[in-house]
Amino acid sequence: MLNGAKRLRVLVVASTLAVILFLLYRASFLHKINGQGLPLASESAKPTRRKIWQTTKLSPLSLEERDRKNLQKWDEMNPTWRHEVLTDGGCDEYVRDRFAERPDIVGVFTGLKDNILRADLIRYLVLLGDGGIYSDIDTEALKPIDEWIPPEYKDIANAVVGVEYDTFGQDPAPALLIVQFVNWTIMSKSGHPLMDLTVRNAIRAIRALAEKQLVSLDRIQANFNDVLASTGPALLTTATFEYLSEATGTKVSWLNVTGLTAPKLIHDILILPVTAFGNGQRHSNAGTPEDPAALVHHLFSGSWKTGSHAFKAMAQADHQGENP
């Protein structure tokens, strides 16, 4: 039998180990989600580059039932893909760890307080750092990811973007593009030059915004147009055209992608028609979520998009308009 002193030492050691394990668990910033929305250990059988990335401001356990069910659906539909959900604090941890040798990235991201700028920027960063697919927490998977790329492009396409809206050459509203890609769902291999260019352009735009307002990064007040051009879908769209123009040696613009009815490969970027990621919108000839070409349905919940930004109003307008 243990005497009193030895028993006390055993209890101290056991208690210390329990505390350490608890702290390590709480410090974990990558939440693997199973069908019931509970954290799971990493599954080493899943290739690390086949990752589904999503973000949520708070714990995934605090999500609404619909979003939890959609998390489960992403898993069920893509059993060979690892599912990573980053919380707000987890985003900072990820950036500090993955981009330790890029102080420009770490400084800008961790210095930002604007939730929408951060939410936009982190999607490009996880794809640059690890690759896979990013999709907003308020999206529903309609087809397995492995079916997104047609067989003839599987060995060629290194990134996938989808059309959000297409004005078919008509003058768009102020600050809008003629054709714009979604940034709520993106696919890319890790380290792809498109993601690197998008991140560099975003960092430059964020710094310019702070300089324009004569404030530090944490005091930026970004309006709708600021977000659209600095980190949002307009930034991704212009970066895509910039990358493709440089890669092909010819000018690539909206003229190359307007009116798409089938996936189109330009260099190593696969561009999907509006119905793929933008189904359910009442414009741009978008199909319904039941359309065979629909891959992901965006529910426009805007869990990150609160405050002074007009994203919810924009989403509602999307569903009230008419197809041109």
Side-chain angles (χ1 to χ4, degrees):
M1 294 182 62
L2 296 175
N3 59 35
K6 287 184 178 180
R7 185 181 298 110
L8 178 60
R9 284 197 296 270
V10 170
L11 289 174
V12 169
V13 171
S15 299
T16 302
L17 287 174
V19 169
I20 290 173
L21 290 173
F22 175 74
L23 291 175
L24 286 174
Y25 174 79
R26 288 198 62 185
S28 176
F29 60 92
L30 291 177
H31 298 273
K32 180 70 177 70
I33 306 302
N34 72 359
Q36 285 69 45
L38 300 175
L40 288 176
S42 298
E43 295 183 24
S44 57
K46 294 186 178 182
T48 58
R49 298 302 178 186
R50 291 167 64 83
K51 290 186 176 182
I52 301 167
W53 292 95
Q54 296 186 290
T55 56
T56 178
K57 189 168 180 61
L58 302 174
S59 166
L61 299 176
S62 67
L63 292 172
E64 296 179 3
E65 182 179 0
R66 182 185 66 178
D67 291 335
R68 291 199 302 271
K69 287 182 177 179
N70 284 331
L71 284 176
Q72 178 181 351
K73 190 174 181 181
W74 278 105
D75 278 341
E76 292 173 345
M77 197 168 283
N78 304 283
T80 63
W81 286 69
R82 178 172 166 173
H83 195 172
E84 307 281 8
V85 181
L86 290 175
T87 63
D88 195 7
C91 291
D92 286 326
E93 294 291 338
Y94 175 87
V95 171
R96 289 192 181 100
D97 177 68
R98 182 64 77 238
F99 297 100
E101 298 180 0
R102 291 286 304 272
D104 56 327
I105 291 176
V106 175
V108 168
F109 186 82
T110 59
L112 280 173
K113 299 302 180 186
D114 186 290
N115 283 340
I116 304 179
L117 296 178
R118 283 170 54 89
D120 277 338
L121 187 52
I122 192 63
R123 67 195 65 197
Y124 310 130
L125 290 174
V126 296
L127 294 178
L128 177 61
D130 281 70
I133 76 108
Y134 169 87
S135 200
D136 276 357
I137 205 75
D138 58 343
T139 56
E140 177 187 2
L142 301 178
K143 298 283 193 312
I145 298 169
D146 289 335
E147 296 180 11
W148 290 10
I149 302 178
E152 62 268 30
Y153 299 138
K154 280 190 178 293
D155 295 330
I156 310 172
N158 291 323
V160 178
V161 296
V163 173
E164 177 182 4
Y165 69 78
D166 187 346
T167 68
F168 305 99
Q170 298 179 20
D171 289 335
L176 297 180
L177 304 174
I178 294 176
V179 174
Q180 183 167 282
F181 302 138
V182 312
N183 78 337
W184 60 70
T185 303
I186 316 165
M187 186 176 194
S188 177
K189 291 186 176 180
S190 62
H192 193 279
L194 172 58
M195 289 300 105
D196 183 62
L197 177 62
T198 303
V199 168
R200 286 190 283 112
N201 287 355
I203 288 175
R204 187 182 305 115
I206 291 168
R207 285 174 170 166
L209 192 57
E211 291 175 3
K212 179 182 177 181
Q213 297 182 7
L214 302 176
V215 297
S216 56
L217 293 172
D218 62 326
R219 297 178 65 84
I220 289 177
Q221 296 291 322
N223 61 33
F224 175 78
N225 289 337
D226 291 333
V227 174
L228 196 67
S230 298
T231 59
L235 172 93
L236 176 63
T237 304
T238 55
T240 302
F241 290 147
E242 181 182 350
Y243 164 74
L244 289 175
S245 296
E246 182 176 351
T248 62
T250 60
K251 181 175 177 56
V252 178
S253 70
W254 66 271
L255 290 168
N256 300 92
V257 297
T258 187
L260 284 185
T261 57
K264 180 175 183 178
L265 186 75
I266 304 180
H267 190 56
D268 66 338
I269 307 296
L270 186 65
I271 301 172
L272 303 178
V274 64
T275 298
F277 297 155
N279 53 81
Q281 302 177 110
R282 296 179 182 176
H283 59 71
S284 308
N285 289 338
T288 67
E290 293 73 33
D291 193 297
L295 304 178
V296 173
H297 181 52
H298 190 207
L299 300 169
F300 293 100
S301 298
S303 60
W304 283 86
K305 302 179 176 77
T306 57
S308 61
H309 304 287
F311 281 93
K312 286 188 176 180
M314 183 74 169
Q316 291 169 355
D318 282 343
H319 290 270
Q320 292 171 356
E322 296 295 333
N323 274 315

